[in-house]
């Protein structure tokens, strides 16, 4: 029997392989621009005719090639970027497969000029269908220029498959912008049929984003910044009110390489939850820097999908840092309720220079301490003052009204004597008094428009949650070693969930090992104490094993579980200081209106509502 297997002729093999890398003119633009970046060019000019169907020209001022390299660069797997297998895992260059030039040369007419700084003349190579047809000396500046003509001249199926010039040019422009965004320090120009589409002078990222998106975008950008051991995150999100109905402006870059990720996009959408109108999408330019050994860019030939070793962790960081950034600009969902329900305090925070991204709320700022100094009550005028107080505008906001407050306490005392637990701030222990009233789980406090009622336990939970989430992003949560390690039997499902989330759990402060269906827990987050350790652990196990939660949202869910358990501890609100500290810390949280489980922390009693009761 004769053999059936034959080797494909080279030129056919090349064309097939080329189809993987070069799908349309935009792919050529991307590959040539990336090669120019890899060659350390500081200026890159892209010149397109007829959406790349007649000409794609890319000129750079990079390092150029030697005359020898000038022709082998077109050979398949010719690359100067990977020498040994190990290099593959620590790549900092865009290309590394040595496929792009070989692919382009297989399906187009290519002319290349290249010169290194040290050479006096350049080399001009012409190649068609993978065959070098001429090579000669020329005179051109240092750097490399490529002219690609008659793309797909020998692959009619591809050529016929191309879309209208308008569509193909849009693809080219997209690729151009992605590379340009990733390299704001490089000068780029894009011409189409001699018309200048982009002229991007070097600068910082913000300038590059604004140059591409238009001047108006400058005020719309919210800076994103976060650094942890695993990932450094920078970039911008667009304020939600400027979001769009298309997904167009969603950019992720890792180590300055554009990529797409439905998973990470989900994290951002989640951070924007409640802020966007139906069917609107958030816009963002997010740059991740991670150890090159911890990503795999090799999963897809066109390299827009990338595998991350720590994707769950990065998901959580994205979610929380974008939520935080949105919160800093006071556009988090929780603050987006009727403005009246947020009080004078957050309003002050809200107006703090929105152009300066790194604003931190002053931790020692207590909006309540400077006003409402109470003076001892004068028995006889109680009721008078009370009604006066309620009618007065800006109640609780200036010292003149403080007397009314003191009197209000007294009245409260009187009317509540029949109730079992009228927990008032004992006036004797703080002679200046306090403007807050504690009753059961609630704290009553003055606000600009009336009163606010704060659910103390929920406030406490939110405070713990916030501080844990914030520190978790950059450091492992502080854990305490248990005097007596805790043993707990786990189901099969729970065991594998524990193992699967081990590193996340460690970051959260849980240190333990699972053997033969039993968890041996040696350390727990310090915020958990005595009686709350067990319930914290149970919550966490339930969250990782049983709950239908988003893969990447698990960290949030866990921090939520821990904070819920930690907040079960008895809350001591016996002193003025304790109450004021609780309120102060609550208002330092980005989100002080709702708990992580979306339960209301604060409600208001507006003056008009109160007044209505007395008509
Ligand atoms: P890769 O980028 O994956 O290495 P390419 O086929 O894109 O493969 O390029 C092959 C080689 O040609 C590169 O490794 C580089 O050495 C050289 N090269 C390509 N473009 C340029 C350029 N603009 N300037 C200098 N060298 C280049
Ligand atoms: Mg390349």
């Amino acid at each position: 029997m004769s053999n059936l297997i034959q080797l494909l002729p080279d030129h056919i093999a090349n064309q097939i392989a080329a189809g993987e890398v070069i799908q349309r003119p935009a792919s050529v633009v991307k590959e040539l621009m990336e090669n120019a970046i890899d060659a350390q060019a500081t200026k890159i000019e892209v010149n397109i005719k007829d959406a790349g169907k007649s000409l794609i020209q890319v000129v750079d001022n990079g390092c150029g090639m030697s005359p020898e390299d000038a022709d082998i660069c077109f050979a398949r797997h010719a690359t100067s970027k990977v020498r040994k297998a190990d290099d593959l895992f620590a790549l900092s260059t865009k290309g590394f497969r040595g496929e792009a030039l070989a692919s382009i040369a297989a399906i187009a007419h290519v002319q290349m000029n290249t010169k290194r700084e040290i050479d006096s003349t350049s080399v001009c190579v012409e190649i068609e269908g993978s065959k070098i047809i001429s090579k000669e000396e020329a005179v051109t500046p240092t750097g490399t220029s490529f002219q690609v003509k008659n793309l797909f001249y020998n692959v009619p199926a591809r050529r016929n498959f191309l879309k209208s010039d308008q569509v193909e040019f849009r693809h080219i422009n997209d690729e151009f912008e992605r590379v340009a965004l990733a390299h704001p320090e490089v000068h780029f120009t894009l011409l189409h049929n001699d018309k200048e589409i982009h002229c991007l002078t070097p600068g910082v990222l913000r300038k590059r984003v604004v140059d591409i998106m238009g001047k108006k975008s400058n005020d719309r950008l919210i800076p994103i910044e976060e650094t942890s051991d695993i990932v450094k995150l920078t970039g911008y999100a667009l304020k939600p009110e400027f979001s769009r109905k298309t997904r167009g402006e969603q950019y992720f870059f890792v180590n300055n390489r554009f990529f797409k990720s439905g998973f990470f996009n989900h994290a951002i959408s989640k951070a924007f939850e409640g802020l966007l109108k139906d069917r609107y999408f958030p816009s963002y330019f997010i740059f991740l820097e991670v150890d090159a050994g911890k990503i795999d860019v090799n999963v897809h030939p066109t390299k827009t999908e990338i595998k991350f070793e720590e994707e769950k962790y990065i998901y959580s960081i994205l979610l929380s840092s974008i939520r935080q950034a949105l919160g800093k600009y006071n556009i988090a969902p929780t603050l987006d309720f009727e403005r009246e329900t947020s009080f004078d305090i957050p309003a002050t925070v809200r107006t703090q220079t929105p152009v300066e991204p790194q604003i931190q709320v002053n931790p020692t700022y207590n909006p309540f301490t400077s006003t409402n100094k109470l003076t001892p009550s004068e028995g006889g005028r109680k009721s008078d003052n009370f009604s006066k107080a309620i009618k007065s505008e800006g109640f609780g906001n200036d010292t003149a009204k403080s007397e009314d407050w003191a009197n209000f306490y007294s009245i409260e005392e009187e009317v509540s004597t029949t109730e079992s637990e009228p927990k008032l701030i004992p006036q004797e222990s703080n002679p200046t008094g306090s403007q807050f009233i504690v009753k059961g789980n609630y704290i009553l406090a003055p606000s600009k428009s009336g009163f606010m009622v704060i659910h103390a336990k929920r406030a406490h939970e939110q405070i713990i949650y916030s501080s844990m989430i914030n520190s978790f992003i950059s450091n492992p949560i502080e854990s305490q070693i248990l005097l007596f390690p805790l043993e707990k039997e786990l189901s099969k499902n729970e065991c594998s969930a524990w193992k699967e989330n081990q590193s996340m759990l460690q970051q959260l402060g849980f240190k333990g090992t699972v053997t033969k269906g039993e968890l041996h827990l040696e350390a727990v987050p310090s915020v958990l104490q005595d009686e709350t350790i067990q319930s914290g652990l149970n919550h966490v196990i339930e969250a990782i094993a049983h709950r239908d939660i988003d893969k990447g949202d698990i960290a949030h869910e866990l921090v939520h579980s821990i904070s819920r358990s930690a907040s079960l501890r008895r809350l001591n609100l016996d002193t003025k200081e304790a109450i004021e500290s609780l309120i102060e810390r609550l208002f330092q949280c980005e989100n002080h209106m709702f708990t992580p489980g979306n339960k209301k922390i604060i409600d208001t009693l507006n003056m008009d509502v109160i007044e209505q009761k007395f008509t």
Side-chain angles (χ1 to χ4, degrees), residues 276-295:
L276 296 178
K277 280 186 259 171
D278 223 18
R279 280 190 284 267
Y280 275 65
F281 299 99
S283 297
Y284 52 82
F285 307 83
I286 302 290
F287 290 74
L288 310 171
E289 272 172 55
V290 301
D291 183 346
K294 293 199 163 175
I295 55 172

Side-chain angles (χ1 to χ4, degrees), residues 456-472 477 525-529 532 558-571 582 585-586 589 591 596 601:
K457 271 212 166 73
R458 291 180 186 170
H460 190 208
E461 180 186 341
Q462 177 63 10
I463 290 165
I464 297 173
Y465 171 82
S466 273
S467 86
M468 282 181 79
I469 268 292
N470 284 341
S471 70
F472 163 75
I477 281 171
S526 304
V527 284
L528 295 181
Q529 272 165 19
T532 59
L558 296 190
V559 173
H560 180 190
S561 302
I562 298 168
S563 57
R564 200 170 40 201
S565 302
S567 70
L568 291 179
R569 241 182 309 157
R570 207 186 81 80
L571 185 60
L582 183 88
R585 284 182 300 150
L586 174 64
C589 298
N591 166 8
I601 300 172

Side-chain angles (χ1 to χ4, degrees), residues 31 34-35 38 81 94-96 100-101 303:
E31 294 296 339
E34 290 190 343
N35 279 347
D38 284 346
K81 301 162 195 172
K94 308 278 166 194
F96 58 86
L101 292 186
K303 292 172 281 177

Side-chain angles (χ1 to χ4, degrees), residues 31 35-36 38-39 60 63-65 73 78-81 95-102 144 146:
E31 294 296 339
N35 279 347
D38 284 346
D60 71 53
C63 65
M65 282 177 257
C73 71
T79 179
S80 54
K81 301 162 195 172
F96 58 86
R97 296 156 169 262
E99 274 179 337
L101 292 186
T144 306
F146 281 92

